Amino acid sequence: MLVCCFIGHTAVSQKYVHAMDSVQELLETLPEDDTSKVYALIYMAELQSSKPGGDVRKYADEALELAEALEFKPGMVKAYFALAYYFVHGGNGAKALECLYKALDMSIELQDPKLEAYSYNFLGYVNKSLREYDEALKYYNKALDYWGEKKNSEMKVLILGNIANIHLEKGDKELALKYYYQILDLAKEHNMDSRLSSVYWSLGQYYYEDKNYEKALEYLHLAQEYARKTESTWREAKVYHTLSKIYLAMNQPQEALSVAEKSLHLTSSLDLKNEMLESYQQLYLAFEKLGNYQQAYEYQEKYRVLSDSIKNQESVQAIERLKHQHEIKLVNEIHKANVLRRNALIGVLVALLIIVSLFFNRRYLLMKKNLENKRQLLNYSIRNLKEKSELVEKVNKELQIFKQNANHEVKIKKFNRVLQFNIVTDDDWENFKKAFEDVYPNFMASLRYHYPDLTTAEIRQAALVKMKLTIKETASILGITPESVKKSRHRLKKKLKLTEKESVEGVLDNLHASITMD
């Protein structure tokens, strides 16, 4: 993910040369419509960043163009990272931010929190290089939240180091020191040798500036040990340079001269101008302390020439930065406007979702209440029929007793008429049927459709079966004997053409379920 591009300078070692050759061979064999070629181009751009004048832009542009043609958005995001690196190191911070904002927006669109975290990390790096420290800290902390949650110690240490350096540059030394020790603990815990080299050097530099030379030397010797272990030539050169300053401060010019010469040798082999400048300064100061004014003058002159060259280059870069300041402000404002617009749209969508949810919830509650009312009405109808049937049954029993004791023929005829009274009237049936169909809509119509031979009495019997009424309750409601109910149900089972294992209740339940699904 181009992380190494944001750590520091690297030497163009034989390892990188071999890697470039291998990737070039791979690029020549991969087909144009393969997303693997996008990643190969991005890796080549990363390798190119390891040498002065490398073709980072060329390979990054090719990667972006291919990713766009393939509509391969993860590849587009990583190509934007490579381009951002190229632009920020070329002094065009506005273009770097533009690329990174595109990468960030695309990462959010892809719902890829890992790419989003890398975008925040790179935005922190670019803003730090532009000396926009508050913005840099904001983005670094967002990236840190993700890597901390994922327990990725490598990335966490890298970002904590950048945060610590920002606080040091801002003059908040105590806070910077707190971060350095946090990094040290993590690097020791996870055996991160390269990070140990870096943090030991940072602590040595910190204590040198604090004039605690003994502690500074302790940390710098550890930094030197890990720099050699990890073959970090650049870090070893930085350690020699700081050691030279400490030896001069301790009035040990011979030791200062020895390590300054080592520092110059390493920085010259890497062609690191700023580090070479520091070495020239330490050498002329050491020779001056030793009384070798001729050598001191020679290195002072080298320092002056290189310093003028670097200042001229920095002046050009400063002018370029000033030229791009308006563009940087404009890019930031456009991005903030886009974020506000996106957040407003999300807010509107959330509000609409809540309104729709409330509407359907209210509708559901109304339907539920309506259904409950219908159930209550049906239950009331059943209860009313039961009460009427029970009352008549009671009266019948009393009349039977009274009839046995009656002497007058006229009274016996009246009793007979009462006994012949039809308990469930047509009106009762119609009221029951209406309440029943409110709860089980289309049940009777479907029953007639599937079984057209059923009589009204059999449909009535089926409805009472559907209500899960017992034989006794059914007999009471219909005004017939339980034995008659059993016979009616047996006839109904035959009409429904059921086997011995099949039940009338099961068939009627499935019939209603199928109606509901339809």
Side-chain angles (χ1 to χ4, degrees), residues 211-470:
K211 293 184 170 49
N212 188 340
Y213 302 133
E214 186 177 343
K215 203 160 190 176
L217 286 171
E218 177 188 341
Y219 282 121
L220 287 169
H221 287 136
L222 287 168
Q224 183 182 38
E225 177 187 335
Y226 280 98
R228 287 174 177 171
K229 188 176 179 180
T230 57
E231 298 180 356
S232 177
T233 309
W234 173 76
R235 178 65 63 199
E236 190 176 359
K238 294 290 286 183
V239 170
Y240 283 137
H241 173 70
T242 308
L243 284 171
S244 177
K245 290 195 288 187
I246 291 172
Y247 287 135
L248 278 177
M250 295 173 68
N251 200 25
Q252 297 177 19
Q254 191 59 53
E255 286 81 354
L257 176 64
S258 176
V259 290
E261 286 175 338
K262 292 177 182 178
S263 175
L264 179 61
H265 172 71
L266 293 175
T267 54
S268 299
S269 67
L270 300 175
D271 194 30
L272 303 176
K273 303 295 184 187
N274 285 302
E275 285 73 11
M276 286 170 64
L277 184 69
E278 292 173 347
S279 298
Y280 286 147
Q281 182 183 37
Q282 290 308 117
L283 283 165
Y284 89 70
L285 289 172
F287 277 120
E288 187 178 47
K289 277 273 187 182
L290 289 167
N292 190 337
Y293 299 111
Q294 178 63 34
Q295 287 283 79
Y297 174 77
E298 288 178 10
Y299 280 109
Q300 188 179 41
E301 188 63 17
K302 288 181 179 180
Y303 174 85
R304 185 188 63 77
V305 172
L306 184 56
S307 176
D308 288 344
S309 172
I310 291 172
K311 282 178 182 177
N312 289 335
Q313 188 177 355
E314 287 177 347
S315 296
V316 171
Q317 290 176 345
I319 292 168
E320 287 297 314
R321 275 198 298 271
L322 285 172
K323 282 169 61 179
H324 293 305
Q325 280 300 318
H326 177 69
E327 292 177 35
I328 291 168
K329 186 178 179 182
L330 186 61
V331 167
N332 282 325
E333 286 175 355
I334 290 170
H335 175 69
K336 286 174 182 176
N338 288 336
V339 170
L340 286 172
R341 191 158 42 245
R342 184 175 65 229
N343 290 343
L345 180 60
I346 291 170
V348 169
L349 289 173
V350 169
L352 284 173
L353 186 62
I354 291 170
I355 291 168
V356 170
S357 176
L358 289 172
F359 171 76
F360 280 106
N361 187 51
R362 179 175 174 78
R363 188 176 176 186
Y364 167 75
L365 290 173
L366 287 172
M367 289 174 65
K368 187 178 178 183
K369 187 176 180 181
N370 190 32
L371 183 60
E372 186 60 33
N373 289 338
K374 289 177 179 179
R375 286 187 186 279
Q376 288 176 3
L377 182 60
L378 178 59
N379 290 334
Y380 172 76
S381 178
I382 292 292
R383 190 167 60 251
N384 187 40
L385 286 171
K386 283 183 179 181
E387 287 172 357
K388 284 176 68 178
S389 297
E390 287 169 1
L391 177 62
V392 174
E393 186 180 358
K394 184 179 179 182
V395 171
N396 276 338
K397 287 179 181 179
E398 291 176 358
L399 286 173
Q400 288 288 352
I401 295 167
F402 188 72
K403 179 182 176 182
Q404 291 172 5
N405 300 322
N407 297 318
H408 302 288
E409 187 177 342
V410 176
K411 287 185 178 180
I412 291 172
K413 288 180 180 179
K414 288 182 179 180
F415 294 153
N416 284 332
R417 281 200 298 270
V418 173
L419 289 173
Q420 292 168 4
F421 177 71
N422 188 2
I423 295 172
V424 182
T425 66
D426 290 340
D427 287 342
D428 288 335
W429 170 245
E430 288 301 323
N431 290 333
F432 169 79
K433 188 166 68 170
K434 184 179 178 183
F436 181 88
E437 288 187 334
D438 277 341
V439 178
Y440 302 106
N442 300 322
F443 176 81
M444 292 185 182
S446 182
L447 195 61
R448 288 192 190 95
Y449 174 78
H450 289 288
Y451 306 100
D453 295 336
L454 291 180
T455 65
T456 302
E458 287 164 344
I459 290 173
R460 188 181 305 175
Q461 184 71 240
L464 295 172
V465 171
K466 177 66 185 171
M467 292 298 299
K468 302 289 190 291
L469 295 179
T470 64

